[in-house]
Amino acid sequence: MATGGEGRWAAILLAAGSGRRFGGGKLLADFQGRPLLAGALEAALASPALDVVLVTGAQAEAVGAAARSVAEARGEAARLRIVHAADHAEGMGASLRAGARALPPDAAGVFVFLGDMPKVPPAILPRLAQAVRQGAAAAAPMYGGRRGHPVLIGRDLLPALARLSGDEGARAVLAELGGRMAFVDTDDPGVCFDVDRPEDLTPP
């Protein structure tokens, strides 16, 4: 969804991890009858982003195929771009860096989705976009006093994303924003639900 003369929103979906704590193969594990990755990708495709960049790493071919299947089923394959982070073992910073470098040059900001968070509520996404459009440098949902995902990172911070390294992810970029970071309250726990271990595949 374009934002006037400000450019357009984009999204990065991080799907490069090996899922070591899970025992491997996490993003392709069955979650409510389909691959775990599907929930996060559908949320990204439901966002105001015109471009959705999926970053692969471990099991790149299978993860990419699963993502294409989800996008095609929604008739939105044209919005999905898959990039591979060859250095994904370096950590989340490397994956986010690869995604940031693949963004369109006119991106007004980027939603950062995590592949193991399948229950993000689409209703929060336009509210994050509104917060950044109104002047916040970045915005994130809050549930019960906890910061959730996705985070929407505004245009001014995108060059820093493209320089990330290590395993810190976007935290290093967001850490010193102070009052420039907007928090959007929600009563939906999906913004904090993630899958780390096999038992998490059956939420309470």
Side-chain angles (χ1 to χ4, degrees):
M1 183 179 297
T3 56
E6 301 174 358
R8 60 192 191 178
W9 303 117
I12 294 172
L13 173 54
L14 298 177
S18 61
R20 282 190 296 272
R21 279 188 293 174
F22 186 87
K26 178 169 70 171
L27 296 181
L28 299 173
D30 182 272
F31 180 78
Q32 299 181 344
R34 55 192 189 150
L36 175 63
L37 173 70
L41 179 55
E42 288 194 341
L45 291 169
S47 78
L50 291 181
D51 308 273
V52 176
V53 177
L54 177 91
V55 183
T56 64
Q59 294 187 288
E61 186 173 336
V63 168
R68 281 189 291 271
S69 178
V70 171
E72 288 167 1
R74 292 174 58 95
E76 296 186 288
R79 289 174 63 200
L80 178 66
R81 180 179 178 194
I82 299 175
V83 300
H84 180 62
D87 51 358
H88 64 92
E90 177 186 317
M92 189 179 292
S95 300
L96 194 47
R97 181 177 69 229
R101 291 177 178 178
L103 295 176
D106 63 342
V110 61
F111 293 89
V112 179
F113 291 87
L114 305 182
D116 63 356
M117 295 191 69
K119 297 176 74 69
V120 169
I124 195 68
L125 306 174
R127 296 175 62 201
L128 298 178
Q130 181 180 19
V132 171
R133 195 180 295 120
Q134 291 176 344
M142 286 284 285
Y143 171 76
R146 293 174 58 200
R147 192 178 92 186
H149 289 275
V151 176
L152 175 57
I153 297 173
R155 184 205 303 276
D156 290 348
L157 301 177
L158 297 186
L161 289 187
R163 296 191 299 268
L164 284 174
S165 61
D167 197 33
E168 277 198 286
R171 270 188 215 155
V173 175
L174 303 175
E176 299 182 4
L177 289 182
R180 299 175 62 216
M181 178 86 182
F183 296 100
V184 180
D185 288 327
T186 177
D187 59 2
D188 193 315
V191 299
C192 292
F193 174 76
D194 65 349
V195 172
D196 284 328
R197 297 175 173 85
E199 53 266 33
D200 297 331
L201 292 170
T202 307

